[in-house]
Structure formats: C-alpha cells, structure tokens
Amino acid sequence: GAWRSGSRDSGLPMLLPLARRGYLGASIEYRLSCEALFPAQLEDARCAVRFLRSKALAYHLDPDRIGVWGASAGGHLVALLGTAGEGPTRVQAVCDFFGPTDFLQMDAAGSTLRHDAPDSPESRLIGGPIQQRQDQVARANPITYVTPDDPPFLILHGDQDPLVPLHQSRSSTRPSGRPAWRPASTWWRARATASPAPRSTKRYTRSLTAIFRNASLHFSQPCREAAWRSLSGCRAETRL
C-alpha cells in the first residue's frame, strides 16, 4: 500500500469471483515509490492497459470494454487512468476504493497521518514535501484531469477512514472552481468503517459487477469459459 509496498497477488481475491461471472481479470504490478518517482506508477498502469489491448484476440476480450479497479494507492492510479487516459490507455469504467484525489487538501480535511510531511506516502511518491512541489502534485492529482467525457466511476469510501479523508471521494470542484466529477458517478459510504474492506467477497463483487455492467463491459456467454481459462496466463504476462 501507499505506493511503497504490495504486489499483484493482493488483487486475486477480487478477480476470481469476477472471472466466474464472465470477466477477464488481470492483476498488475507497478514500480513503487522507493524504486521510481511519479509518473512511473501511472506509466506502468498505462502499459498494462496497452498490453491487454494488444492481447485482445488471444485472451478473448473486447479491447473497447476495459474497466479498472484499485484500492487506496491503487484507487488513485485507476482514477488517473479514468481521468487522464487517452488513446490506447483509455478505459471505459473505473472502480475507485478510497483513493486519494487531491493531495494538497488531505491534511486540511482531517487525517491521523500528516500527508504534508516530507516522509508521507504522497511526498515520497512526488519526491519531496507536497506543499513545496505543487506543480508536480497537480500532475499526480486525478481531480486535475476531470472532463465531461470521463468514464463512469464507482467510488467507495468508509466514512470513518482515519488515513484517506472521506473528502477525497466527495470533493466536487477542481482548483479552477469548475465541477470535478461527472454527475453519472456513483458514491457509496460504508458506515462505521475505517475503510470498505469487504466483510464478504460477494458484496464487493456485486459492486464491481454493477459498474462494469452499466458500462457494457460484460462478456457474451461464449466468452465466459475462455475468459476463465485465460486468467492465469494474462496475470503472468502482465507483470511489469
């Protein structure tokens, strides 16, 4: 987590139930902040999207119907894919679980972690204290890139999250003062939880399935078995 630890294996519990419902899932890795500064992480995520599109025939997927999901730091990166994607890296649906969207406002919104500190996860991602590198931070903020033609978002965030303030999933304006998130976005609040870690896999599978279905990402019936067979091969080849 926090762009500084983790591996693609952590995404498998979410992918397997979706694969059974007819979706092809790929869990990716990106360079951590101890290995490279932003935008390396976004570049790696974009590389994964391009790779999947290039393998559309082999994996029996529709290259024009790709959705992404991530939590916390991963939520930040998928939000960037949704707002800053273009051409072969553009996606058609985004599921963001409690990801930061506006680094400079996190401390003001209330958090048990000092995000403005020189050693905060955000500062380590950028390469220095975020309040002293506001231009670089703007390039890393998903909220910077919001436009009316962004894909639909499903955003889940615990209303007692002590680390990433709920404000990050509710902020409605960009620095310019213009509206940020498109009206079609869906907002859920997970009551009395620090973060929406699933109590049951079924609950979050339904959430992901809903947004993917609404964005017309579901495979046709003949593709279900092929998608299930392709899951392990896709995961192996998308390691970055």
Side-chain angles (χ1 to χ4, degrees), residues 21-232:
R21 290 174 178 237
Y23 298 89
L24 186 146
S27 185
I28 72 167
E29 286 185 353
Y30 57 84
R31 283 170 286 177
L32 303 174
S33 58
C34 59
E35 300 171 318
L37 300 178
F38 187 85
Q41 296 74 22
L42 176 58
E43 291 171 351
D44 290 349
R46 286 171 168 169
C47 179
V49 175
R50 285 195 298 268
F51 174 87
L52 285 173
R53 282 207 162 95
S54 73
K55 294 291 185 178
L57 184 61
Y59 294 144
H60 307 278
L61 62 87
D62 186 335
D64 297 322
R65 297 192 295 177
I66 295 178
V68 289
W69 167 81
S72 194
H76 161 260
L77 291 176
V78 298
L80 278 172
L81 285 175
T83 59
E86 57 184 16
T89 68
R90 185 171 177 81
V91 298
Q92 285 68 55
V94 177
C95 291
D96 167 14
F97 284 11
F98 50 96
T101 60
D102 192 354
F103 292 176
L104 299 182
Q105 304 303 317
M106 296 180 76
D107 277 4
S111 173
T112 58
L113 178 68
R114 287 191 60 241
H115 299 276
D116 290 347
D119 61 347
S120 73
E122 294 77 20
S123 294
R124 289 183 180 275
L125 179 70
I126 298 301
I130 57 175
Q131 294 293 347
Q132 298 176 19
R133 289 169 166 76
Q134 296 194 12
D135 289 344
Q136 293 165 267
V137 169
R139 290 193 288 272
N141 280 340
I143 204 169
T144 300
Y145 305 99
V146 174
T147 56
D149 64 345
D150 288 339
F153 273 65
L154 172 66
I155 301 179
L156 277 71
H157 203 136
D159 60 8
Q160 296 183 29
D161 192 325
L163 300 178
V164 180
L166 181 60
H167 161 274
Q168 294 291 295
S169 289
R170 301 178 68 186
S171 181
S172 59
T173 58
R174 290 182 285 182
S176 64
R178 297 173 59 191
W181 302 107
R182 60 179 295 190
S185 299
T186 303
W187 307 93
W188 284 19
R189 292 179 65 184
R191 295 182 180 177
T193 58
S195 63
R199 294 182 180 179
S200 71
T201 302
K202 290 183 179 179
R203 175 184 176 188
Y204 287 89
T205 299
R206 286 197 301 268
S207 301
L208 294 173
T209 302
I211 188 67
F212 288 167
R213 183 187 298 116
N214 290 341
S216 301
L217 299 181
H218 201 272
F219 285 128
S220 60
Q221 184 66 30
C223 290
R224 287 175 178 263
E225 184 178 352
W228 175 251
R229 289 198 309 267
S230 298
L231 177 63
S232 60

